[in-house]
Amino acid sequence: MEKLLNLKNTLIDEFNSLGIEGLHLTDLNLLDGSYINLEYTLPNGQKVKLLEDDKMYLGNQIEIDGKERCYGVAADEKYLLVCEYGCNGSDPEIVIYKRR
């Protein structure tokens, strides 16, 4: 349990240090990959999913002030993902996807 709490606190710090306007985390939740694994359209038209359906991630959703969109954040031991999307995950866009 202590290892999970340490990872959670470290990830919160990493997300907050990205400098994304309007993105400030105070908590992360355990989320099922199949629930949060959105399909993104790349500039070349290819559609991809970046997460694994059968994994658990630490993540959260943050409403963006002045927009009808949210930031979605998800992370594991290897990657950070910040995306932006509309209602019910519509029109998702990758903001940042990087190795930790």
Side-chain angles (χ1 to χ4, degrees):
M1 185 64 146
E2 186 175 331
K3 182 179 176 184
L4 178 62
L5 289 174
N6 288 338
L7 176 61
K8 181 176 169 178
N9 291 328
T10 300
L11 290 172
I12 288 170
D13 290 343
E14 288 181 37
F15 279 120
N16 288 336
S17 72
L18 292 173
I20 298 170
E21 185 178 341
L23 178 65
H24 179 76
L25 291 170
T26 58
D27 197 16
L28 293 171
N29 306 298
L30 276 175
L31 301 170
D32 187 85
S34 64
Y35 180 71
I36 62 171
N37 197 8
L38 301 176
E39 186 173 73
Y40 304 94
T41 303
L42 299 178
N44 66 3
Q46 179 183 1
K47 295 191 181 287
V48 298
K49 288 186 173 190
L50 301 175
L51 305 177
E52 296 179 36
D53 287 344
D54 60 349
K55 279 187 73 174
M56 295 296 289
Y57 294 89
L58 285 165
N60 210 334
Q61 174 176 289
I62 299 90
E63 291 183 19
I64 302 172
D65 286 339
K67 289 186 171 183
E68 292 188 18
R69 293 180 65 79
C70 295
Y71 288 121
V73 300
D76 61 12
E77 303 83 16
K78 295 181 182 178
Y79 293 97
L80 292 177
L81 171 64
V82 179
C83 63
E84 182 181 317
Y85 50 81
C87 278
N88 298 316
S90 65
D91 303 316
E93 298 175 9
I94 300 165
V95 176
I96 291 178
Y97 182 62
K98 69 176 214 160
R99 284 186 191 261
R100 300 185 54 235

